[in-house]
Amino acid sequence: KEVKERKFAMSIFTLGETATLETITIRVKDRDKMIAFYQGIVGFSLIQEENALAMMGIKGSNKEHLWLEESPRAYPHFGEIKKLQHYTLKVASLAEIASIYSRALKRESPVIGLTLQEDSIQLIIEDPEENQLVIYFEPTNEAVATSEELLKQGDETTLLTAETEITGIHLNVPNQAKAQLFFNDILGVAATVPFLTVTDTAGKQFMTAEDEVLGLDFLKLTMEEADLLALEQHLIEKEQDFYIDKKKQILTIFDPMGIEWWFILKKNK
């Protein structure tokens, strides 16, 4: 009898398309100073304070874009490479990014860079504990050519609006191959979730995963039930350590850098 050759396609897991990056949490030494920066310079509102957490977001919106977790005894590890290279914040108007730039200059907050292009304005600033934030706006017919022109577009009282989004994180990793294997093979973020990029630290001294250090602590993503359950099943098949609550609404897992990823069931509106 003729034996027909059977070919099996390798199944590649991808994180569901409903996964949305909602919140990043930064462990901080001085919460009051950091709140003052993110309110007074960036334009977030303080939504709530609970124990060691300060939750920052947009007034009138239920989104909590940034959590500041105070840990006075945490180690700054000056001279070591941070896990978070930068995170990106997309704003909805020229006035918003112009106002952030104006407030940063007037209050002598570190401005790392400003790029003005026809289709993109990008501002890089640094918070009091040396976490870099890339803020950008994509103009349609509102292009500006110089920083002086940009400053004229802002009103210092302008705050962030509900359309503000955290659109990406860029991580420093001590072993890029190991990190990419985890993010691609275990979490499946490469194909469907374009918010994550990584840079190899090329042997430089890197903040250890075990120590309680300042900087990026955990990320919160929301997703629909089917995608959350698919992730759970995939992690079981990969024999990967993770936690999921009995109601299957919260799944958490640590990456190789010691950053905790929270996957939360989306609430019905």
Side-chain angles (χ1 to χ4, degrees):
K1 294 182 179 180
E2 181 181 358
V3 178
K4 294 184 178 180
E5 182 182 0
R6 299 177 64 189
K7 296 183 180 180
F8 297 90
M10 182 179 294
S11 176
I12 299 175
F13 176 78
T14 56
L15 195 65
E17 292 184 356
T18 66
T20 304
L21 178 61
E22 296 279 355
T23 309
I24 73 168
T25 299
I26 298 175
R27 187 182 289 123
V28 305
K29 197 88 168 178
D30 189 332
R31 184 174 60 176
D32 290 342
K33 186 180 287 187
M34 292 286 274
I35 289 173
F37 171 85
Y38 281 103
Q39 276 188 307
I41 304 295
V42 181
F44 277 121
S45 296
L46 179 60
I47 304 300
Q48 184 180 353
E49 289 188 85
E50 183 178 313
N51 300 322
L53 283 176
M55 302 168 186
M56 314 291 295
I58 310 298
K59 187 175 289 186
S61 169
N62 59 1
K63 287 185 179 180
E64 296 168 353
H65 296 78
L66 178 67
W67 288 5
L68 303 174
E69 180 186 22
E70 188 170 45
S71 184
R73 292 181 294 278
Y75 301 103
H77 284 249
F78 291 123
E80 297 186 14
I81 300 295
K82 282 179 169 285
K83 297 172 187 176
L84 177 66
Q85 186 183 97
H86 66 259
Y87 66 102
T88 57
L89 189 73
K90 183 180 180 180
V91 298
S93 70
L94 184 61
E96 288 171 65
I97 195 167
S99 298
I100 296 169
Y101 182 48
S102 176
R103 290 191 293 262
L105 291 179
K106 289 188 177 181
R107 302 182 195 189
E108 298 183 346
S109 182
V111 174
I112 308 302
L114 175 67
T115 304
L116 303 173
Q117 297 178 335
E118 285 189 9
D119 59 350
S120 176
I121 297 173
Q122 179 177 282
L123 171 66
I124 306 174
I125 59 177
E126 191 173 82
D127 72 22
E129 297 191 3
E130 300 179 351
N131 301 290
Q132 283 195 11
L133 171 57
V134 177
I135 302 160
Y136 71 99
F137 169 64
E138 297 174 338
T140 51
N141 56 355
E142 302 171 285
V144 293
T146 67
S147 58
E148 289 77 13
E149 286 181 29
L150 178 62
L151 288 171
K152 293 176 183 177
Q153 306 299 319
D155 178 342
E156 279 199 58
T157 63
T158 299
L159 302 180
L160 298 176
T161 56
E163 291 77 18
T164 302
E165 296 179 272
I166 291 181
T167 57
I169 55 170
H170 190 115
L171 301 178
N172 290 314
V173 297
N175 184 321
Q176 187 161 358
K178 184 177 180 180
Q180 290 286 21
L181 181 64
F182 178 84
F183 293 129
N184 295 349
D185 193 43
I186 303 301
L187 290 190
V189 301
T192 59
V193 187
F195 63 74
L196 176 69
T197 53
V198 300
T199 295
D200 199 304
T201 59
K204 295 179 182 177
Q205 192 172 7
F206 182 81
M207 284 186 174
T208 59
E210 301 82 25
D211 291 341
E212 187 181 61
V213 296
L214 299 179
L216 185 62
D217 188 9
F218 64 85
L219 307 168
K220 183 174 76 172
L221 296 87
T222 59
M223 58 202 310
E224 298 290 352
E225 182 178 35
D227 288 334
L228 184 62
L229 296 179
L231 175 60
E232 177 198 20
Q233 185 58 40
H234 171 69
L235 295 176
I236 291 171
E237 292 171 1
K238 286 290 185 179
E239 299 181 350
Q240 188 74 29
D241 290 336
F242 69 97
Y243 164 81
I244 189 167
D245 72 319
K246 291 182 180 180
K247 293 182 179 180
K248 296 189 184 293
Q249 295 181 342
I250 303 173
L251 185 153
T252 64
I253 186 171
F254 284 92
D255 70 21
M257 281 70 65
I259 299 167
E260 189 173 14
W261 292 65
W262 293 16
F263 298 92
I264 312 291
L265 186 66
K266 284 189 185 223
K267 294 179 181 179
N268 293 325
K269 295 182 179 180

